[in-house]
Amino acid sequence: MWMADWWCNKQKQLPKGATIAPVILASDKTCLSQKRREMSAQATVLIGYLPAGKLRQDGVEMVCVDLMVRRIYPILVAYVADFPEQCLVACCKENCCPKCLVMADERGDPLSSPMQDPQLIKEILEK
């Protein structure tokens, strides 16, 4: 997905006049208090809403900035979130390491901890 050839090949597969719309999703549940701290700059700006309920294999018609209606094929290219937010979205515990078996109160200490067993995790998820 990160190579120009991939984008060109996908664009060639679309009908004439259609285009790919790369979508980057971000989520952050952090709320800054007005008394403690104020945001100094807008890090993100909402530019529009995608009609997520209408997304299909044949794309979705959207009005472009030039007021022309075009068939758009949105694809998710990135999801940006900090670790607590990723845990919230994935419905997993925030106080556990996703890679090793270190105890929560030992995180940050220089130690060698055994790694998680991917096969065991896969079996648990399949149950």
Side-chain angles (χ1 to χ4, degrees):
M1 179 183 296
W2 308 114
M3 306 298 285
D5 291 341
W6 184 90
W7 288 97
C8 288
N9 290 336
K10 291 298 176 193
Q11 186 67 44
K12 289 176 186 175
Q13 295 173 6
L14 299 178
K16 185 175 179 169
T19 191
I20 297 172
V23 176
I24 301 172
L25 297 178
S27 60
D28 188 359
K29 67 176 185 169
T30 304
C31 296
L32 298 179
S33 167
Q34 292 292 353
K35 294 180 182 177
R36 293 188 338 179
R37 212 172 354 158
E38 289 188 24
M39 291 176 40
S40 60
Q42 292 287 339
T44 59
V45 177
L46 176 67
I47 58 171
Y49 293 101
L50 287 177
K54 297 180 181 178
L55 295 181
R56 299 183 307 266
Q57 288 292 102
D58 58 343
V60 62
E61 288 187 349
M62 296 179 74
V63 179
C64 294
V65 71
D66 60 359
L67 302 179
M68 298 293 294
V69 176
R70 293 189 174 86
R71 183 152 305 274
I72 307 294
Y73 292 81
I75 57 170
L76 179 63
V77 294
Y79 172 67
V80 181
D82 59 8
F83 183 69
E85 188 76 11
Q86 291 175 18
C87 291
L88 181 67
V89 170
C91 299
C92 64
K93 292 182 180 179
E94 186 178 322
N95 63 350
C96 296
C97 178
K99 293 186 176 187
C100 70
L101 299 171
V102 66
M103 300 303 292
D105 59 347
E106 295 176 343
R107 287 186 302 177
D109 295 336
L111 58 91
S112 61
S113 183
M115 300 304 283
Q116 298 274 8
D117 180 9
Q119 185 60 36
L120 176 63
I121 293 171
K122 182 179 177 186
E123 290 171 9
I124 292 170
L125 290 173
E126 288 175 345
K127 288 183 181 179

